[in-house]
Amino acid sequence: MKVGLFIPCYMDAFFPNAAIATLELLEKLGQDVYYPLDQTCCGQPMSNSGCNKDAHDTEELFIKNFSDCDVIVGPTGSCVHHIRDNFDAIEQTSEVKHVRQNTYELVEFIHDILKVREFPWAEFPHKVGIHNSCATLRSLRTASMSELGEPFFSKPKTLLSAVKGISFAQPQRPDECCGFGGTYSVTEEAISAQMGLDKVRDHHDAGADYIVSADTSCMMHQQGCAERNNVNIKFIHIAEILNGARS
Amino acid sequence: MSVKPVAHAHEGAKFLEEKAHYHFHDERLWDVRQKRDQEMHILPEWQELRQKASEIKEHTLANLPEYLEQFEKNAKANGIYVHWARDGEEHNRLVNEILQSHHAKSLIKSKSMITDECEMREYLEPQGITVTETDLGERIQQLDNQLPSHVVLPAVQKLTGDVAALFAKHYNTDPNDNDPHSLTEAQRQAARPIILNADAGMTGGNFLVAETGSFVVCTNEGNADLSANVTGLHIATLGIERIVPRMSDLGVFIRLLSRSALGSPITQYTTHFRKPKKNGEMHIILVDNGRSDRLAMDDFWSSLKCIRCGACMNTCPVYRRSGGQSYGAVYSGPIGAIIDPTFNKTKYSTLPFASTLNGSCTNVCPVKINIHEQIFKWRRVLVEEHEIPFVKKEIMKMAGRLLASPRLYRAAIKGTNVALSTMPRFILYNYLNPWGKHRELPHPVKQTFNSWYRQNRLKSAQKQSEKGGQVQ
Ligand code: SF4
């Protein structure tokens, strides 16, 4: 199985360690990982702001980069959601359909496809709060949603539970959006930042030392809100913990 | 006349600055959302009910003319006058005619947002007719000259202190007495004489039943019953989408409505009106006002399923923080963001962008409207129809060009070994400048992942051309 590694723009630029951890983790799990050097973005910023036509060329480039992969894995839920659910600025050829149907978010790839439940090398002796981005939660459905009253499940928590020494903090509003929302974080920056601050405070008050997420964009936003307001909490991508980071 | 788009971001930010208001608003509505969750857990058939409600509404909307005609026939047989209003203007004229023919000068009215939609008060008052809201929250908003802030809790954005100040101004009460009980009592004392001396009463309505020609009004204060009964003249105004086929359908909706709205099992007063009272007159005005047009819109017609429970507002993290007034519209929150642009595409062009698309609204909606997907679709429509600012469009065009070119993109993030010290301009250019106003910028790193990969993982780095071929 040829696994294409998709590292979106934010992550490439601001969270290279999380990207490296993703690569190493997939390799530890025995995957043949291929990273197309010419990748940039999935087109979400344009599509998300209604300018779908402007996403055309970026989507085309994405297909060019990844169409010969069996699966594409991105450590970033909202981009995967875009590819799977809204990637339609270009003609929907069989190549495009192949890419869209076989793109996975990292957690769901490990959980659902590889079905790995053990990470013997991983140890993280800290209390963590899990942040499910809304796209992973409600579109990719990697965890149960409080509004639907369905039985509890959480793919990220299932994976993290296998890590030695880890414990979990439960915020009061576990599903509440952190306010990132792509271009929303800029068009409505005051409200967006308030949401981010409320979110990190909720985790902090629940006793979390770290917020762990599978979405770097939400983390970038939350980290910015925490630092500006001196909320003492750290951020880490789930790939880093599963890959064996200690702190 | 040029119309200015609603400044939601600006108004929302202003609301946030009033810390006490913001916290109360957020907590109060979150509390309601949690109560809703508890009620959902009590009913194992909750999802089935939602499904059923959605199906009934879809079926009804697909056969709307037939059901409306059936309703009209049955209502007339019950002795109700049935009127049709194509738009707000026609609605207001009809109301005026009915009132004039009875020489009615004072109208008491129980919550019906559709009259706000039609701007009825503005029309009637110059004709010498006073309109008084009988719902406490609506009355507060009326005294403050504001639109309702929420479909179920019209004055939820106000603290008791605000109400005390407002009542002191209008009712001569003690501005320092902000005990909710005495405020309610003040309203009662002020409202009772107006209610008892009114010439005519008006209500909205939650459901029209085609099979029986009757309609149902749900309130928690009983004020609709007062408005309907103290005078001999009852005018009810409802949107045409309010119809359900059979009496037996009501069980589904009544069970969902109040549980979704407030987390209470049922509204305190659920009143069925079937015919005028003895020696009285009952009129129903069925209002279109853009609903038929919306029904014809492929992507947005299902918003007509809405039963106005407000659950989408309560769960919406943006609404809870920006307040209902920031939407500048009769209908606020997520449902407002998808129906307001059907009233005026320019004025409400900003509302579909006032969302993170988190999707919680869709999950709580008792009639299963795919609210967040419609918000997303509206953005595309508004861009296509040039209803978003030129600058924003140009930035996206640039971003699209940049992100489609690996070479330009790499150059933009200086992605080799140079520390990234600027904003992620490569994503949205200077569009991202506001980022740092309330947030720290992401930390610069020594190396992008891409450059790390080239350095550490490419077996034959030299062979790798600068353009960057796809090398394993
Ligand atoms: S859209 Fe759904 S949740 Fe929102 S008010 Fe209407 S029925 Fe209630």
Side-chain angles (χ1 to χ4, degrees):
Chain A
M1 181 164 65
K2 185 173 179 183
V3 177
L5 177 62
F6 165 47
I7 300 298
C9 41
Y10 304 97
M11 202 167 181
D12 181 34
F14 295 111
F15 298 90
N17 291 341
I20 295 168
T22 304
L23 173 65
E24 289 177 354
L25 176 63
L26 288 170
E27 286 171 346
K28 272 188 192 136
L29 299 175
Q31 298 307 303
D32 174 18
V33 185
Y34 162 74
Y35 172 74
L37 285 168
D38 270 357
Q39 59 180 290
T40 58
C41 163
C42 62
Q44 183 174 211
M46 286 76 78
S47 166
N48 185 287
S49 43
C51 303
N52 203 36
K53 287 202 178 115
D54 296 322
H56 180 277
D57 295 357
T58 306
E59 289 186 357
E60 210 163 64
L61 176 69
F62 189 90
I63 297 297
K64 207 168 120 207
N65 278 316
F66 288 104
S67 60
D68 59 347
C69 298
D70 299 310
V71 300
I72 297 102
V73 177
T76 169
S78 74
C79 305
V80 172
H81 157 59
H82 170 72
I83 294 158
R84 222 184 269 171
D85 301 323
N86 295 320
F87 193 93
D88 60 3
I90 49 173
E91 201 196 318
Q92 301 295 299
T93 59
S94 55
E95 224 181 3
V96 174
K97 283 188 193 139
H98 164 80
V99 168
R100 291 184 62 182
Q101 280 159 10
N102 292 287
T103 298
Y104 294 94
E105 184 266 324
L106 178 67
V107 169
E108 64 175 358
F109 181 66
I110 296 175
H111 186 282
D112 298 351
I113 307 298
L114 301 181
K115 299 194 195 315
V116 173
R117 294 291 182 272
E118 283 168 15
F119 306 89
W121 52 80
E123 185 174 352
F124 199 71
H126 305 282
K127 196 164 201 172
V128 303
I130 298 175
H131 174 70
N132 295 307
S133 78
C134 297
T136 52
L137 180 68
R138 298 198 182 84
S139 300
L140 305 181
R141 308 219 43 184
T142 59
S144 53
M145 301 177 276
S146 63
E147 305 97 2
L148 293 183
E150 54 196 355
F152 177 83
F153 71 93
S154 165
K155 294 175 191 176
K157 193 168 181 183
T158 302
L159 300 187
L160 286 169
S161 299
V163 173
K164 272 195 278 316
I166 201 164
S167 59
F168 299 94
Q170 177 68 0
Q172 297 281 325
R173 303 180 185 184
D175 297 0
E176 176 116 316
C177 172
C178 73
F180 175 67
T183 50
Y184 179 81
S185 63
V186 181
T187 49
E188 299 222 323
E189 68 74 36
I191 305 163
S192 167
Q194 182 67 52
M195 288 166 72
L197 176 60
D198 289 350
K199 188 81 205 179
V200 293
R201 278 202 183 127
D202 193 5
H203 278 283
H204 179 263
D205 295 348
D209 305 316
Y210 282 86
I211 292 178
V212 53
S213 181
D215 233 305
T216 35
S217 47
C218 298
M219 286 212 292
M220 176 172 80
H221 159 71
Q222 290 180 30
Q223 189 166 5
C225 297
E227 285 174 7
R228 175 63 58 91
N229 294 282
N230 299 314
V231 180
N232 184 17
I233 199 158
K234 287 173 274 195
F235 293 83
I236 191 164
H237 193 279
I238 190 166
E240 296 177 75
I241 299 183
L242 297 179
N243 188 45
R246 291 296 167 102
S247 62
Chain B
M1 195 177 68
S2 75
V3 188
K4 262 177 75 186
V6 172
H8 180 270
H10 177 75
E11 294 301 317
K14 263 188 8 208
F15 184 69
L16 277 181
E17 276 164 24
E18 300 167 41
K19 289 259 181 298
H21 285 83
Y22 150 61
H23 281 295
F24 172 79
H25 192 259
D26 175 49
E27 290 293 335
R28 171 88 176 88
L29 294 175
W30 181 254
D31 181 56
V32 174
R33 153 74 208 277
Q34 282 184 304
K35 293 206 172 97
R36 172 239 172 240
D37 290 359
Q38 283 161 18
E39 287 296 323
M40 165 186 69
H41 287 297
I42 295 172
L43 296 188
E45 67 273 35
W46 186 257
Q47 298 307 333
E48 248 171 84
L49 279 174
R50 287 178 75 217
Q51 185 57 32
K52 191 101 206 145
S54 170
E55 283 167 10
I56 295 170
K57 278 285 180 185
E58 287 188 7
H59 164 81
T60 317
L61 289 168
N63 300 280
L64 195 57
E66 291 80 11
Y67 284 120
L68 286 170
E69 278 164 26
Q70 191 189 353
F71 175 83
E72 181 183 37
K73 190 171 126 255
N74 291 330
K76 278 184 174 163
N78 295 338
I80 304 174
Y81 294 93
V82 180
H83 312 263
W84 301 88
R86 202 159 297 140
D87 52 24
E89 171 84 47
E90 196 170 348
H91 165 266
N92 299 342
R93 214 165 17 171
L94 280 165
V95 175
N96 192 34
E97 275 166 24
I98 300 167
L99 294 176
Q100 302 295 355
S101 70
H102 285 78
H103 309 290
K105 290 282 164 214
S106 63
L107 178 69
I108 50 170
K109 145 171 161 8
S110 155
K111 225 175 117 191
S112 68
M113 297 187 74
I114 193 159
T115 58
D116 291 319
E117 188 188 307
C118 299
E119 301 183 352
M120 183 187 77
R121 189 151 43 99
E122 292 82 339
Y123 181 91
L124 290 182
E125 281 175 352
Q127 320 277 342
I129 294 163
T130 60
V131 180
T132 310
E133 299 289 347
T134 57
D135 173 279
L136 174 59
E138 290 270 315
R139 180 67 179 158
I140 293 169
Q141 292 303 95
Q142 185 186 16
L143 291 175
D144 220 1
N145 222 350
Q146 285 180 331
L147 283 171
S149 189
H150 184 285
V151 290
V152 177
L153 305 157
V156 66
Q157 87 287 12
K158 286 194 167 63
L159 299 174
T160 46
D162 303 325
V163 179
L166 189 67
F167 280 8
K169 198 163 114 202
H170 293 274
Y171 296 159
N172 275 326
T173 48
D174 176 2
N176 298 315
D177 179 3
N178 56 14
D179 172 48
H181 297 284
S182 42
L183 290 172
T184 311
E185 189 54 32
Q187 153 73 358
R188 179 174 291 136
Q189 293 307 332
R192 281 293 140 123
I194 300 176
I195 292 174
L196 295 175
N197 294 314
D199 301 323
M202 179 174 226
T203 67
N206 297 73
F207 305 99
L208 297 156
V209 185
E211 173 188 60
T212 53
S214 62
F215 63 101
V216 178
V217 185
C218 303
T219 67
N220 282 316
E221 294 172 23
N223 52 311
D225 301 81
L226 283 175
S227 300
N229 288 309
V230 289
T231 80
L233 178 59
H234 177 190
I235 308 170
T237 289
L238 292 95
I240 51 173
E241 83 286 9
R242 293 278 177 168
I243 198 157
V244 297
R246 293 166 303 259
M247 196 59 135
S248 58
D249 297 324
L250 284 177
V252 175
F253 293 100
I254 302 283
R255 293 185 79 199
L256 283 167
L257 179 64
S258 191
R259 287 186 168 93
S260 298
L262 297 169
S264 60
I266 193 165
T267 41
Q268 308 286 342
Y269 300 85
T270 301
T271 309
H272 295 245
F273 293 97
R274 192 165 190 156
K275 55 177 158 197
K277 59 187 212 176
K278 224 175 168 181
N279 302 322
E281 244 180 66
M282 186 179 276
H283 294 258
I284 292 184
I285 308 177
L286 298 169
V287 183
D288 186 318
N289 202 27
R291 286 160 175 76
S292 300
D293 292 342
R294 203 183 306 147
L295 191 55
M297 299 168 100
D298 281 346
D299 290 333
F300 307 115
W301 69 270
S302 73
S303 62
L304 287 164
K305 292 194 285 180
C306 177
I307 58 171
R308 306 273 189 266
C309 68
C312 56
M313 302 174 182
N314 303 340
T315 204
C316 176
V318 175
Y319 175 90
R320 266 188 271 113
R321 286 168 180 83
S322 58
Q325 296 295 305
S326 63
Y327 291 79
V330 174
Y331 304 106
S332 53
I335 180 67
I338 58 177
I339 66 175
D340 292 334
T342 66
F343 292 114
N344 188 329
K345 255 183 227 154
T346 307
K347 183 167 180 198
Y348 302 118
S349 57
T350 46
L351 299 186
F353 296 89
S355 166
T356 62
L357 303 175
N358 67 79
S360 183
C361 46
T362 299
N363 277 354
V364 297
C365 178
V367 287
K368 289 193 151 183
I369 300 172
N370 58 337
I371 307 173
H372 75 296
E373 289 169 7
Q374 291 190 34
I375 294 176
F376 181 78
K377 283 194 178 134
W378 260 120
R379 294 183 181 184
R380 289 187 177 180
V381 173
L382 294 166
V383 168
E384 294 285 307
E385 301 190 4
H386 307 290
E387 295 290 357
I388 78 162
F390 176 76
V391 179
K392 202 167 160 184
K393 268 175 89 164
E394 284 304 298
I395 286 165
M396 284 301 152
K397 206 177 274 167
M398 284 196 286
R401 251 184 251 138
L402 186 65
L403 290 167
S405 158
R407 192 178 49 83
L408 290 178
Y409 163 78
R410 292 279 148 222
I413 64 170
K414 303 187 193 108
T416 49
N417 290 338
V418 186
L420 292 159
S421 52
T422 52
M423 279 301 299
R425 291 168 62 87
F426 62 95
I427 303 170
L428 302 173
Y429 275 39
N430 52 354
Y431 192 45
L432 270 182
N433 282 343
W435 177 277
K437 224 170 133 197
H438 288 100
R439 265 173 303 229
E440 291 304 310
L441 309 183
H443 298 192
V445 295
K446 289 218 176 59
Q447 206 172 22
T448 64
F449 174 73
N450 192 285
S451 131
W452 175 90
Y453 190 91
R454 284 169 197 267
Q455 213 170 63
N456 296 283
R457 290 303 182 94
L458 286 182
K459 300 209 174 71
S460 45
Q462 306 97 315
K463 268 197 256 156
Q464 182 65 16
S465 74
E466 255 318 292
K467 275 182 254 114
Q470 298 177 348
V471 173
Q472 173 64 40

